[in-house]
Amino acid sequence: MSSAAASPPGPPTAGPGATQQVFPDGRVALTDAARLDDPRYANDDLRPVPIERRTWGVYNYLSLWVGMAHNIPSWTLASGLVALGMNWVQAVVTIMLANLIVLVPMIMTGHAGTRYGIPFPVFARASFGLRGANLPALIRAAVACAWFGIQSWIGGEGIFLLAGKLLGHGWQTAAEFGGYPWTQWLSFALFWLLELAIIARGMETLRRFEGWAAPFVLIGAFALLAWITSEAGGLGPLLDQPSKLGWGHEFWKVFFPALMGMIGFWSTLALNIPDFTRFGGSQRAQVRGQALGLPTTMTLFALLSVLVTSGSQAVYGTPVWDPIQLAAKLDNTAGLLLALLTVLVATLSVNIAANVVSPAYDLSNLWPRRISFRTGALVTGVVGVVIFPWKLISNPHVYIYTWLGVVGGLLGTVAGVLIADYWVVRRTELDLAELYLPGGRYWYRAGWNWRAVTALLVGGVLAVGGSYGGPFPAGGVIPALKPLADYGWAVGLAGSAVLYLLFERIRPAAQAAAGVGAPKRAT
């Protein structure tokens, strides 16, 4: 833990009867006068984290990002760009730039979590309303549940393939059920149960797990690099390949859509990062931890994947981008066990942190009286199975283009509304107790801020309305918007932010006079 998290925040300031107190480091906590006792909008998991429990330091956020970034899909990101015609330098630079860009909204939304100790769905109440916050929360939860199922299937597949090397031919040729060997279903079930067992123990267990998982996965990745370098007698073929696109018009035509795709990889976390920063010991800890963790580790992992794949091409005559398939080529039992454990830990690390924490809070926000964080996590696990992730993977065009592409495009619009409201309209000042109070400042009309919802919907149309390719018409769903389709995340974020600020400027005078949804200075 960093010193920033361990140092006491100092005495707070608060006026008589105030419901919140401000500490010298800028963090805000509730006073004894605050009463968050409405079970429709508050439970133990949604209430602000007490100041004494906000202990995460720089290393905790650094290890969180190392654990999340080092997973099988991010390992293969570079392969997708190389397949588009980039050379390895162009691919790695594109990934690095994308993560530097997405880091900005990540830190901006994370600020609210650290300052007020609140999770993403409660933060969204300030701009969308106490009830309206369920809309962006459920959009985020839907994406996370799908990713949870897919990552769980990938983790189970890793166990199935690598265990088959240890247990013999019979393991992989077992009797089939539903199109897959029963041993693969068993591997999936074991991995799924292990995930739920860890998350059911709460966020403190997650913090400890990420703390040791991060260096372990890094060691495993470098061990794979050392092995393939030794086998290849050096690295070379892939690194010597020239770009098929050059640096002219053809490159830039591919670069911008690829950049948006790489940004989209972590755009989900740009929304719900308050779920983690709410435990931050200081703004400095969350900013430095994320800045050191996200762009550096993603770039390093992309470089590692290129180097290892280069070695695989030298050894096997063709590049092997999938680390599970590559590890399965090991003949050494100890090496196979290390590879199996590394794949297991890496996939557990990203899936629990990125795809369980968010929907657990989001579902809890939907029905606080009945759904706790643990219950939400269990629901996520069940939903991740009943969506049949093995079918989604078997037909990636349907999944990516018809659902993740569209729903993922909306995530940028949610971020645009949140950032515009928190940083421009409210100047980072929220009334903490009223985020849980029906009929209060953030109630708007019947619990919904229709300005935010309208900005979200219009921004979403701008972001994804021009979608083309796959199941979409070649000319785009809305042909006039096709030129925007390759920049969906950026268009959604900028479009919804501008629309929301415009709506705020023309907010009815009667509402402004009554202070409905208006910013308020901390007391």
Side-chain angles (χ1 to χ4, degrees), residues 13-22 28-36 48 430-435 437 520 522-523:
T13 58
T19 58
Q20 66 186 39
Q21 52 193 344
V22 182
V28 178
L30 294 172
T31 67
D32 293 337
R35 292 289 182 268
L36 309 186
L430 301 176
D431 188 311
L432 190 52
E434 292 208 9
L435 288 169
L437 180 65
K520 179 179 178 181
T523 55

Side-chain angles (χ1 to χ4, degrees), residues 474-500:
V477 177
I478 304 176
L481 297 178
K482 182 179 178 181
L484 301 179
D486 290 337
Y487 312 94
W489 181 83
V491 168
L493 187 144
S496 64
V498 170
L499 284 169
Y500 183 78

Side-chain angles (χ1 to χ4, degrees), residues 42-126:
N43 62 22
D44 289 342
D45 298 305
L46 295 177
R47 293 185 183 96
V49 176
I51 205 78
E52 64 273 11
R53 286 177 48 207
R54 302 185 203 177
T55 58
W56 286 34
V58 173
Y59 178 74
N60 296 125
Y61 290 107
L62 174 62
S63 62
L64 177 74
W65 275 113
V66 172
M68 289 197 295
H70 294 170
N71 62 83
I72 294 168
S74 65
W75 178 276
T76 58
L77 282 181
S79 66
L81 298 183
V82 170
L84 290 174
M86 293 186 183
N87 62 23
W88 72 272
V89 174
Q90 291 170 330
V92 171
V93 169
T94 301
I95 291 170
M96 178 181 67
L97 182 58
N99 285 281
L100 286 172
I101 292 172
V102 81
L103 177 66
V104 176
M106 198 88 66
I107 290 175
M108 294 180 77
T109 54
H111 183 280
T114 299
R115 180 166 170 79
Y116 295 99
I118 52 176
F120 159 64
V122 174
F123 174 40
R125 292 175 182 179

